[in-house]
Amino acid sequence: MTPTQKNERARQVLATRRLRIRRIRRRIAAGGAAAFIAVFTVIAADGSMGSSSTTATASQTAQATSTTSSDTTSSSSASSSSGNTGSGAGSTSVTTSQS
């Protein structure tokens, strides 16, 4: 092999290597962008992950607690004043749901 043939071969090898590295970098960048978009979409679909969901849960818990305590108070006062315990006075069904 002559020196010019060696130089030409070296240029081809380096050019091939540059293309391979460029493709790898593009794939990494595309994968990172895709992961960011996927995470951002999930957060946008579910809502923020801050205190708003905690506030809703605390609000539901407080509401259920106050409803239960008022039901207990009303049923005990109804049974003590009327003496009728089987009539269902003060028995209110409370349903809470969490998302």
Side-chain angles (χ1 to χ4, degrees):
M1 277 180 113
T2 65
T4 47
Q5 289 176 337
K6 288 182 181 182
N7 287 341
E8 186 62 33
R9 176 72 180 141
R11 285 187 188 122
Q12 287 176 347
V13 170
L14 289 175
T16 305
R17 184 176 181 215
R18 276 194 302 268
L19 289 174
R20 188 173 59 242
I21 290 171
R22 184 183 301 165
R23 255 184 275 143
I24 291 170
R25 286 181 179 161
R26 284 182 181 172
R27 288 178 184 171
I28 290 171
F36 175 78
I37 290 170
V39 169
F40 188 76
T41 303
V42 167
I43 291 172
D46 286 344
S48 70
M49 298 174 70
S51 64
S52 62
S53 61
T54 305
T55 305
T57 305
S59 168
Q60 288 175 353
T61 305
Q63 185 180 15
T65 305
S66 66
T67 305
T68 305
S69 64
S70 66
D71 287 345
T72 305
T73 306
S74 65
S75 67
S76 63
S77 64
S79 64
S80 64
S81 63
S82 66
N84 191 2
T85 58
S87 67
S91 61
T92 304
S93 174
V94 176
T95 305
T96 59
S97 64
Q98 293 180 341
S99 55

